[in-house]
Amino acid sequence: MMYQLQLFAEAVQGKKMVYLYRIQKDAATADGTILAFTTENGRSKSKDADSTATKDGSIRTPGTAEVEITATSILAKGDRMIDKLEDAMDHDDLIEVWEANLSEPADSGENKFKGMYFQGYLTEFEKTSSAEDYVECSLTFGINGSGKRGDVTVTVEQQEIADYVFADTKKTGA
C-alpha cells in the first residue's frame, strides 16, 4: 500500500508580515511608511450575530464585521511618523494602512508582495516610558469596511528595516 506524503507549507515568520501607514490627505506627496523598531502587529476581525427565536429553533443573523489593526513599536529617535499618526487622531484624519507579506512575492512587479489595503482611524494611542526600558508606542486603528486584497509595494529600504539583509565581510568604503 502506498501512502501519499502530506507536504506542509513553510510557516510565515512574524517579521515577514509588515504594515505601512500614511495619512490619507498626504497621498499625493508621501509614500506609505513602516514604523521603525516595530515589535508586534496584529489584525483582528469580529462579527456579532443576533439570534431570533422561532418555533423550529433559533436562527442567527450575522452583523457587520469590525476590523482592528494594532501596532507596538519602540520609539525611534527622530521618528516623525508617530507624531503624524497622533496628530491624525487629534484631527480625525483618515489613515491608510497596508499589510504586506514579504514571504509571498506578487505574481508581477518589482518589490511587490501579496497583501491588503485598509482605511480607518487611529482609535487608541499609548506611549509608555519606564525607567528600565525604551519608550514604547502602542496604536490601535479602527478600520472602515473589511479591507481589500491586492499587491503592495514595499521598497528595498523598507524591506531592510523589516529584516536584516546579508552583508559581506569586505569594507564598504570611507
Side-chain angles (χ1 to χ4, degrees):
M1 177 177 240
M2 182 184 264
Y3 293 99
Q4 187 175 19
L5 294 176
Q6 185 175 10
L7 300 177
F8 293 98
E10 184 180 336
V12 177
Q13 292 183 324
K15 64 185 177 181
K16 294 292 187 180
M17 189 70 69
V18 298
Y19 288 78
L20 298 92
Y21 309 88
R22 175 174 64 199
I23 313 305
Q24 198 273 334
K25 68 180 183 179
D26 297 338
T29 58
D31 293 331
T33 302
I34 288 179
L35 293 177
F37 303 132
T38 298
T39 57
E40 187 173 8
N41 284 111
R43 176 167 56 94
S44 65
K45 189 180 280 191
S46 63
K47 185 184 279 195
D48 290 332
D50 292 329
S51 290
T52 303
T54 71
K55 293 179 182 180
D56 297 322
S58 329
I59 57 171
R60 306 273 294 171
T61 306
T64 304
E66 292 185 17
V67 177
E68 281 191 340
I69 292 174
T70 58
T72 304
S73 68
I74 304 299
L75 182 61
K77 196 173 190 178
D79 185 356
R80 299 292 168 244
M81 192 59 190
I82 291 289
D83 294 340
K84 287 181 181 180
L85 290 169
E86 184 177 7
D87 291 347
M89 181 181 187
D90 293 341
H91 298 111
D92 299 326
D93 290 333
L94 190 63
I95 299 169
E96 297 173 291
V97 181
W98 291 266
E99 177 187 271
N101 185 343
L102 300 182
S103 66
E104 289 195 40
D107 295 331
S108 64
E110 190 174 337
N111 296 318
K112 287 195 171 276
F113 301 89
K114 295 184 189 247
M116 293 189 75
Y117 171 73
F118 305 92
Q119 290 185 351
Y121 297 92
L122 185 57
T123 58
E124 292 182 41
F125 177 90
E126 182 179 13
K127 189 182 284 187
T128 56
S129 54
S130 68
E132 297 176 356
D133 294 320
Y134 293 110
V135 175
E136 186 175 81
C137 297
S138 298
L139 312 169
T140 302
F141 300 87
I143 300 302
N144 295 334
S146 56
K148 297 293 179 199
R149 293 191 189 281
D151 296 338
V152 180
T153 300
V154 183
T155 66
V156 172
E157 180 184 44
Q158 291 166 334
Q159 292 173 53
E160 289 173 357
I161 291 170
D163 190 13
Y164 287 109
V165 183
F166 178 80
D168 202 351
T169 57
K170 294 187 175 197
K171 62 184 172 190
T172 58

